[in-house]
Amino acid sequence: MPDEAPNQSPPFVDVNLFATDVALQEAVKREGASYATRQLEEFGALCGSAESFEQGRLANEYPPRLRTHDAQGRRIDFVEFHPAYHACMAQSMAAGLHCGSWEGSANEGQGANVARAAAFYMTAQMEAGHCCPITMTNAAVPTRLQPELAAIWMPRIMSRDYDPTFRPAAEKASVTIGMGMTEKQGGTDVRANTTRAEPVANGGPGGEYILTGHKWFFSAPMSDAFLVLAQARGGLSCFLVPRHLPDGTINALRLQRLKDKLGNRSNASAEVEFHGAHGWLIGEEGRGVPAIIEMVTYTRLDCAVSSAGLMRLALATAVHHARHRNVFGRKLIDHALMTQVLADLALDVEAATALVFRLARSFDHPEDVRAAAWRRLMTPVTKYWVCKVAPMMVGEAMECLGGNGYVEEHNLARIYREVPVNSIWEGSGNVMALDVLRVLQKEPEVAQIVMHELADGVADDRQLEAAYERLVGLLHDPRLLDARARELTELLALTAAAAILRIHGQADVADAFIATRLAGPPNQTYGQGLERANTTAILQRVLP
Ligand SMILES: Cc1cc2nc3c(=O)[nH]c(=O)nc-3n(C[C@H](O)[C@H](O)[C@H](O)COP(=O)(O)OP(=O)(O)OC[C@H]3O[C@@H](n4cnc5c(N)ncnc54)[C@H](O)[C@@H]3O)c2cc1C
């Protein structure tokens, strides 16, 4: 009968994204956010509901549209979103994903970044594109605005009521914040920025400037304000550039067009020109990079968390499918080679989860020397490895669904198109690897602290100790040049993940991860080297 659907796996919806994720629950507990368990469980049910997944689908199926002018021909530079996008935003903001770690109330702020990361990991599974304005708003909080600017913006950033109306900030219940750094001639090398900023009067911290120039990538352009880098007389500087001016008129940000992107389609990414736009200086002239770098550090954490979340959803969907689909008279999951593939994928998800939540904890204790060292070195390491492995991992998970994996109605196709962006923006792979070298050269004590911490985790495991020794050798190689930066970064990520899994994780997972990622012959594809691993135990953890 044509209406029957024999041997098709049921939709992977109405799953609690927290209660079904053992690795996530363990990470939340281990890294100090047990206090948030109940809220996370509720949020996991919400994000994993059929309705939420449908919102995510619609938000991508009907991407944003730019309206440059109104009916009378006046510039409005307005981007229209599908209601489903607004629903995702409202849901994430109500959960405080744009501000919750700064509230300092629950558990006296302890574990707040871990709890937020857990919720972020789940909302990314529901819909990843809207995470862009959420993460930028959260990351803008530590920016040191002058008191008169902070008085207007901070209470509204901290509000959990989503207000998508296009009005001056002073009239709104809440605001979101974006960032503008990348220009046509360079994104990584922001020193090459050509956008100019001239003071209206004397200039200086908090002063008003007129900006002329452009940004080549300008995501979430309906944000209420942006942190923008531009050249002032004193050098590259950071400005708060609102969409509306205090007198209620629209600031001169001309949205030229929206990027036609591979994925991340629910999120608008514009090209913008500043035609004498007004901006207010943050900090001193010439100190633009230090002013914005803290924001970038937080967004790097979120890139890794989001990628780990998407990896988890891809894995869970693949395991769910393999448990339902029959091939040659048996469930797919009972075929030895498929078991190996799925277990191998699970190992990378376990490692990614371990790394991102360990990193989130280091953001919870900025005053602690060891935490600060972990945050400084392991932010680029974690972003590099998790975001790099995600596209490969999701591609293999997609294949586990066969042809269905490649079809848009199944979630995997969208995830597959989404994941590469996390590796590109907020510092691409090479930039992360070079940042690791920069730490070694400029802050060698930071690397020493992290290595000391790792030493405890590798003790008594011969293979892990050997990997650690290789790492020490690389770190002390006087000829350590840019060309080996990726090798070093990857080895740091694998060793750190293995150490965390070994100390705190389940032995079957840790042993298999160490055996396949740090010992044995290097493999370029999944599903190899696990003949002796307890794949049943590894897979049982994926969806108990
Ligand atoms: C969907 C999307 C949304 C975005 N939204 C925003 C936004 O809202 N605001 C914003 O400011 N930017 C945004 N970006 C821009 C993004 O941050 C940049 O694309 C990114 O930083 C890389 O800059 P670039 O494109 O100029 O490439 P380049 O800087 O030219 O880099 C190209 C390649 O060269 C590598 N590279 C750079 N330097 C070195 C080196 N010294 N040695 C070896 N390799 C090197 C990089 O790793 C990269 O792989 C967005 C990008 C995308 C894709």
Side-chain angles (χ1 to χ4, degrees):
M1 293 294 284
D3 270 354
E4 285 177 3
N7 202 20
Q8 291 277 327
S9 57
F12 188 62
V13 293
D14 286 329
V15 274
N16 187 317
L17 299 183
F18 188 75
T20 57
D21 190 339
V22 176
L24 173 63
Q25 291 169 46
E26 287 175 359
V28 163
K29 192 170 170 201
R30 178 172 73 235
E31 308 300 356
S34 295
Y35 74 94
T37 301
R38 196 177 51 75
Q39 294 99 298
L40 289 170
E41 218 168 292
E42 284 170 15
F43 196 61
L46 184 62
C47 289
S49 69
E51 196 187 345
S52 291
F53 276 124
E54 178 62 2
Q55 271 169 18
R57 187 188 72 78
L58 289 170
N60 287 273
E61 193 72 22
Y62 301 97
R65 287 178 51 188
L66 172 63
R67 287 174 49 215
T68 50
H69 296 79
D70 70 7
Q72 287 73 38
R74 289 181 289 256
R75 288 293 305 207
I76 50 170
D77 299 288
F78 185 87
V79 180
E80 263 176 357
F81 292 87
H82 189 273
Y85 171 85
H86 292 303
C88 294
M89 286 293 291
Q91 186 168 309
S92 288
M93 285 184 71
L97 298 189
H98 66 298
C99 70
S101 52
W102 305 103
E103 286 169 350
S105 47
N107 205 35
E108 294 175 342
Q110 294 298 302
N113 279 287
V114 174
R116 177 190 169 275
F120 195 78
Y121 175 97
M122 295 190 285
T123 210
Q125 296 179 48
M126 175 190 79
E127 203 294 299
H130 84 287
C131 292
C132 175
I134 295 288
T135 194
M136 288 195 290
T137 305
N138 175 66
V141 175
T143 309
R144 292 179 201 283
L145 296 179
Q146 260 60 41
E148 54 278 20
L149 290 177
I152 296 174
W153 292 95
M154 281 306 163
R156 292 174 176 83
I157 290 175
M158 298 304 294
S159 163
R160 291 186 177 214
D161 296 325
Y162 176 51
D163 182 348
T165 56
F166 190 43
R167 290 184 292 162
E171 297 171 18
K172 292 186 60 163
S174 70
V175 295
T176 56
I177 307 290
M179 64 161 103
M181 297 186 287
T182 309
E183 298 187 359
K184 287 177 188 165
Q185 70 285 353
T188 307
D189 186 3
V190 290
R191 292 166 309 175
N193 272 193
T194 55
T195 297
R196 312 259 2 138
E198 293 294 335
V200 170
N202 294 330
E208 187 175 352
Y209 287 68
I210 302 293
L211 273 67
T212 310
H214 81 282
K215 294 293 164 186
W216 184 232
F217 281 92
F218 199 64
S219 286
M222 292 308 286
S223 300
D224 296 280
F226 302 83
L227 300 193
V228 172
L229 289 183
Q231 302 285 358
R233 282 178 209 160
L236 191 64
S237 310
C238 182
F239 298 88
L240 183 84
V241 180
R243 284 300 313 266
H244 285 86
L245 296 176
D247 67 5
T249 55
I250 300 178
N251 203 2
L253 280 71
R254 304 282 183 250
L255 303 182
Q256 298 302 105
R257 57 175 176 162
L258 300 186
K259 301 286 192 189
D260 185 6
K261 297 176 285 185
L262 169 67
N264 194 247
R265 296 184 78 82
S266 66
N267 178 35
S269 299
E271 293 166 18
V272 66
E273 288 178 1
F274 305 115
H275 289 241
H278 293 247
W280 281 261
L281 181 65
I282 297 172
E284 304 278 343
E285 279 190 16
R287 304 286 300 155
V289 172
I292 213 164
I293 201 71
E294 184 75 352
M295 182 174 187
V296 174
T297 303
Y298 276 88
T299 58
R300 286 177 179 168
L301 166 66
D302 279 3
C303 287
V305 174
S306 156
S307 283
L310 292 171
M311 288 166 70
R312 157 68 195 174
L313 180 60
L315 172 69
T317 309
V319 168
H320 168 81
H321 178 78
R323 282 185 183 161
H324 287 90
R325 179 83 164 174
N326 274 300
V327 181
F328 299 113
R330 269 185 293 152
K331 296 288 182 218
L332 254 182
I333 200 153
D334 295 328
H335 288 263
L337 191 49
M338 182 55 95
T339 312
Q340 289 249 334
V341 170
L342 290 169
D344 210 4
L345 295 174
L347 294 179
D348 276 347
V349 176
E350 293 266 6
T353 307
L355 282 174
V356 299
F357 287 99
R358 176 69 184 81
L359 182 62
R361 173 155 66 96
S362 72
F363 281 68
D364 272 327
H365 304 278
E367 72 298 338
D368 179 272
V369 177
R370 290 192 313 172
W374 191 277
R375 180 181 121 141
R376 177 65 192 96
L377 182 62
M378 297 307 286
T379 299
V381 168
T382 303
K383 181 183 186 285
Y384 174 87
W385 186 78
V386 175
C387 297
K388 278 251 162 275
V389 86
M392 281 183 291
M393 185 270 152
V394 172
E396 188 69 59
M398 183 165 77
E399 193 170 319
C400 295
L401 273 75
N404 281 355
Y406 199 69
V407 173
E408 288 294 334
E409 284 159 336
H410 300 265
N411 231 342
L412 266 294
R414 194 174 95 222
I415 304 173
Y416 184 68
R417 285 188 278 100
E418 182 72 33
V419 276
V421 78
N422 281 328
S423 183
I424 293 173
W425 61 15
E426 308 303 334
S428 314
N430 285 354
V431 177
M432 292 298 90
L434 293 173
D435 195 33
V436 171
L437 283 196
R438 190 173 305 118
V439 177
L440 300 183
Q441 282 150 10
K442 298 207 163 152
E443 302 166 80
E445 68 287 355
V446 162
Q448 269 172 14
I449 295 170
V450 172
M451 289 301 285
H452 189 71
E453 198 138 322
L454 288 182
D456 293 341
V458 305
D460 304 330
D461 183 306
R462 200 175 40 78
Q463 291 175 326
L464 195 45
E465 276 179 336
Y468 183 85
E469 288 310 320
R470 284 206 303 281
L471 198 49
V472 172
L474 263 180
L475 289 171
H476 291 108
D477 182 353
R479 293 158 299 138
L480 183 61
L481 301 169
D482 288 12
R484 295 189 79 185
R486 280 185 176 228
E487 182 186 348
L488 170 69
T489 307
E490 181 170 305
L491 188 55
L492 253 169
L494 294 175
T495 310
I500 299 168
L501 292 174
R502 188 168 161 273
I503 299 176
H504 305 286
Q506 207 237 19
D508 293 309
V509 171
D511 290 348
F513 185 83
I514 294 164
T516 50
R517 272 58 171 175
L518 287 165
N523 302 324
Q524 292 204 332
T525 55
Y526 284 101
Q528 306 176 51
L530 291 170
E531 306 85 72
R532 283 197 288 278
N534 186 351
T535 49
T536 309
I538 295 168
L539 287 176
Q540 188 55 33
R541 285 169 57 80
V542 176
L543 282 177

